[in-house]
Amino acid sequence: VRMERQAVQRAREAFQSGRTRPLEFRLQQLHALQRMITEKETEIATALKQDINRSQYDTPLLELIGIENEIKLAIDRMAQWAAPRPVEKNVLTISDEVYIQPEPLGVVLIIGAWNYPWALTLLPLVGAIAAGNAAVVKPSELSEYSSLLLRELYPVVTGGVAETQDLLRLRFDHVFFTGGSTTGKLVMEAAAQHLTPVTLELGGKSPCYIDKDCEIRVACRRITWGKFVNCGQTCIAPDYILCEPSIQSQVVDCIRLTLLEFYGADPKCSPDYGRIINQRHFNRIMSLMEGYTPVVGGQSDSSQCYIAPTVLKDVPPHSRLMQEEIFGPVLPIVTVSDMDDAIRFVNEREKPLALYIFCNDKKAVKRMIEETTSGGVTVNDVMMHYTLSSLPFGGVGHSGMGRYHGKHTFDQLSHQRACLIRSLKMESVNLARYPPQDRRRARRSPTRWQQTADINSNGQPIV
């Protein structure tokens, strides 16, 4: 507890000293973070290889490029984001100075996730720095090698569940958590003791609807990449497929051919195919597959935490597999009679973090977007909405609260302070608001607000 308390105290003292507020200091910190990413790319890739067998080619694509782009954007736009923002006035404030001033919240706790331990830890940090906050960073202990490397490069708090719980007992000005919904509830409960606002980036079962009239081969190629990259351990990976029975076999065949193209006849030997993070998650995923006969894959090796890319067809809608987020390389297919049935299926369940629609009919796409809800939606591809800093990334309902990326992170970790500055002159304008009230004086006032004193309860003028 002492270590966590000291880390928070140092961050609090740094913030209260005013050191984190000047734009010049924020820029220096962001440039330093950029240099760290550039100089340590090889070490980062090695750590990820040890943690989840991440391909050295996937590390820049899946994590580092995104961080670098966020840093560059923050450096370029930070002065604009932090500037006072004039707002519309009314007749009562016509001669006043009225604006919104973004200001830092204070000390932000960032709890990272293990599946993308660099992006999901450092992306919120970029926004916290840009907004002028001090931050306490807690990377996930499950991605052990990445966590140790982060500790060498950056002042972070390491440890497991006990250390995280100790941190959450302390007071912060904002808690930014990425992880599962069960832990998210505990984070929210702990933050409530201090009335601390939270951003919860959770997950859930993201549906993927394939219309029978779309280019199924292309759709399956894109779905296969999104589902099995990082061994399925991606919060916005397609969790399951919805399609009509008439195309189910074609979908299976296309995914099988794509897997052969991506990972070869034996994905276990492919340098591009990952591993499950640990034995506990390996056992959890294997238990979800019990009772099913895979139509693709299904092989596993406990000693390596390896599970082959696996497809299951005709999965019952109310099975355990369809109740829990899979977070692994297992893709169930559930058949629906048509788009109406798919919409009902999605709406009967918790609001997902992402919704994927593969369909050529623009009217049908628009209808599905309008009649469902999700944190984000991508049409005719998967996960690509995450790559845009201009789009807010976050969940809704059970899949999370709050949003980030680009300016959205800056706004999330800033207080939007309402400011009104007026002169001590022209006091006569204010006479109508002071007692003792005089109806005639109010009637002579030029403002609409003061004129309402001359209207009775029936809306009729008082004469």
Side-chain angles (χ1 to χ4, degrees), residues 290-311:
E290 289 177 1
Y292 295 96
T293 301
V295 289
V296 177
Q299 302 84 1
S300 63
D301 182 345
S302 175
S303 67
Q304 291 190 25
C305 286
Y306 166 79
I307 300 175
T310 299
V311 180

Side-chain angles (χ1 to χ4, degrees), residues 55 230 262 301 346:
S55 163
N230 208 43
F262 285 1
D301 182 345
V346 172

Side-chain angles (χ1 to χ4, degrees), residues 336-362:
V336 288
S337 56
D338 51 24
M339 181 175 280
D340 289 341
D341 195 15
I343 290 171
R344 280 193 297 271
F345 191 96
V346 172
N347 288 338
E348 285 170 357
R349 287 156 176 79
E350 296 287 359
K351 298 172 184 177
L353 182 57
L355 171 66
Y356 302 116
I357 306 165
F358 286 84
C359 180
N360 286 328
D361 185 336
K362 291 183 179 180

Side-chain angles (χ1 to χ4, degrees), residues 33-264:
L33 190 59
Q34 174 64 76
R35 285 195 301 273
M36 183 191 84
I37 296 296
T38 302
E39 293 170 4
K40 299 298 180 179
E41 181 174 334
T42 301
E43 289 92 328
I44 292 170
T46 300
L48 287 165
K49 179 73 174 176
Q50 293 171 302
D51 282 330
I52 45 179
N53 199 43
R54 174 81 61 76
S55 163
Q56 61 174 325
Y57 303 107
D58 276 345
T59 291
L61 177 67
L62 298 178
E63 302 212 44
L64 302 188
I65 292 174
I67 300 171
E68 291 170 345
N69 288 341
E70 287 275 303
I71 293 173
K72 184 179 185 302
L73 181 65
I75 289 172
D76 291 344
R77 303 282 181 83
M78 186 172 58
Q80 175 187 331
W81 297 344
R85 200 161 67 246
V87 295
E88 187 177 347
K89 303 176 186 180
N90 60 23
V91 70
L92 294 172
T93 59
I94 197 68
S95 54
D96 300 332
E97 184 181 355
V98 185
Y99 59 92
I100 296 170
Q101 176 63 66
E103 64 178 23
L105 293 171
V107 179
V108 176
L109 172 61
I110 297 170
I111 303 175
W114 54 262
N115 54 325
Y116 293 90
W118 295 85
L120 299 182
T121 305
L122 297 186
L123 284 178
L125 180 62
V126 172
I129 293 171
N133 297 291
V136 175
V137 177
K138 168 62 179 67
S140 172
E141 74 281 2
L142 298 186
S143 46
E144 179 184 357
Y145 293 96
S146 292
S147 179
L148 291 173
L149 180 57
L150 260 170
R151 188 174 68 179
E152 290 178 20
L153 302 177
Y154 202 85
V156 301
V157 175
T158 55
V161 174
E163 286 77 12
T164 304
Q165 290 174 336
D166 289 340
L167 272 175
L168 287 169
R169 292 189 186 100
L170 304 174
R171 182 170 185 169
F172 293 90
D173 299 291
H174 196 99
V175 176
F176 196 113
F177 169 77
T178 304
S181 57
T182 301
T183 308
K185 293 175 184 177
L186 299 176
V187 170
M188 194 172 183
E189 184 180 353
Q193 304 307 308
H194 301 289
L195 294 179
T196 300
V198 296
T199 299
L200 301 179
E201 296 297 338
L202 308 177
K205 298 184 73 64
S206 295
C208 185
Y209 173 71
I210 306 177
D211 185 76
K212 64 181 179 181
D213 294 324
C214 77
E215 292 81 359
I216 293 175
R217 178 76 181 94
V218 175
C220 289
R221 183 181 178 85
R222 296 176 184 181
I223 293 166
T224 301
W225 169 76
K227 178 63 181 182
F228 298 108
V229 69
N230 208 43
C231 208
Q233 298 165 118
T234 305
C235 60
I236 51 171
D239 189 272
Y240 60 94
I241 287 175
L242 294 173
C243 68
E244 295 183 25
S246 61
I247 64 168
Q248 183 178 210
S249 294
Q250 186 181 355
V251 166
V252 170
D253 290 341
C254 288
I255 293 174
R256 181 186 290 110
L257 289 172
T258 304
L259 286 170
L260 185 63
E261 176 191 346
F262 285 1
Y263 305 116

